[in-house]
Amino acid sequence: MPSKKTFSRFPVPELADLPDDVRERMTAVEEKSGFLPNVFRVLAHRPDEFRAFFAYHDALMEKKEGLTPGEREMIVVVTSAQNHCLYCVIAHGAIARIRERNPRLADQLATDHTRADITDRQKAMLDFALLVSDKAADLDEDDFEDLREHGFTDEQIWDIGAITSFFALSNRMAGLTDMRPNDEFYTLGREPRRTGPRLVK
């Protein structure tokens, strides 16, 4: 088994050995965040897949309309907890704390979202995400209608399902590689932040 000090079972390339576009993205993320999240280093093992992964990630998670940035992170935390993905729970838990300005939220979501400090509408969103994560083949029209009654549009429902599905892939890649969260994630968003770089997953 790999040492706890490692963060991938697979080779992690040196920054200098990567294609220019991959290296430039990683450098930009590190400059903005103050550290380089391990997911970038691990997935850089295969640059073509790195590009495809982050293109889809950005399409889902950086949208300006529909779900709020915090709601998108809530989906990741809750479904990643269901999938036992340490990396995504810790990393996206940090982002959720920051985006929702709530230092308790990530722990609540990862343990029991029904008791978290969120709205009933958001709880319905997360209930649906967990269904997609665990029993997508069993979804029926009643499940969709429940979300519509909470004010979600069909495009927002697509987003809930797509984020859940994308991070199911991410969760499994994290398990495959034994991806470990950076130490920095554990403390981010726990206390009010006065200065410093912005966080980017």
Side-chain angles (χ1 to χ4, degrees):
M1 284 189 64
S3 162
K4 289 185 179 180
K5 293 183 179 180
T6 68
F7 52 87
S8 180
R9 291 188 172 99
F10 294 83
V12 176
E14 295 294 331
L15 199 62
D17 297 332
L18 292 169
D20 289 347
D21 63 315
V22 174
R23 183 173 63 253
E24 288 167 6
R25 168 144 194 173
M26 292 168 70
T27 300
V29 167
E30 186 169 14
E31 289 175 353
K32 181 175 279 190
S33 300
F35 67 100
L36 183 62
N38 288 337
V39 63
F40 289 91
R41 299 180 65 187
V42 172
L43 296 186
H45 175 62
R46 291 193 172 183
D48 286 344
E49 294 170 33
F50 175 103
R51 296 182 184 101
F53 180 93
F54 285 108
Y56 196 21
H57 170 277
D58 293 351
L60 292 172
M61 302 301 286
E62 303 299 330
K63 289 177 69 171
K64 303 302 181 186
E65 68 278 2
L67 306 177
T68 69
E71 287 171 342
R72 294 171 193 275
E73 299 299 336
M74 290 179 200
I75 293 167
V76 181
V77 175
V78 169
T79 60
S80 296
Q82 182 184 58
N83 290 330
H84 307 290
C85 180
L86 177 67
Y87 185 91
C88 290
V89 168
I90 300 302
H92 288 273
I95 303 173
R97 288 193 297 270
I98 291 169
R99 294 204 165 152
E100 290 296 304
R101 295 179 174 85
N102 183 342
R104 300 179 299 276
L105 183 62
D107 304 289
Q108 294 171 349
L109 293 172
T111 304
D112 181 359
H113 76 277
T114 67
R115 300 175 67 189
D117 296 331
I118 56 177
T119 66
D120 288 342
R121 180 178 184 273
Q122 290 166 337
K123 290 175 184 177
M125 173 188 76
L126 297 175
D127 287 341
F128 183 83
L130 289 171
L131 284 176
V132 174
S133 178
D134 189 44
K135 298 180 179 179
D138 295 335
L139 290 171
D140 60 30
E141 192 57 28
D142 288 344
D143 298 314
F144 289 80
E145 194 55 39
D146 183 57
L147 284 183
R148 295 184 188 112
E149 289 176 1
H150 279 88
F152 289 97
T153 67
D154 285 354
E155 291 305 308
Q156 291 171 329
I157 295 171
W158 177 292
D159 282 344
I160 297 167
I163 292 166
T164 299
S165 301
F166 174 77
F167 278 93
L169 162 67
S170 183
N171 297 159
R172 285 154 180 79
M173 288 302 298
L176 171 71
T177 60
D178 196 29
M179 194 184 301
R180 301 302 179 99
N182 303 65
D183 289 344
E184 291 89 343
F185 281 125
Y186 286 92
T187 55
L188 284 171
R190 300 283 184 189
E191 296 180 359
R193 190 174 191 171
R194 295 179 176 83
T195 60
R198 294 171 55 199
L199 175 66
V200 178
K201 173 188 174 292

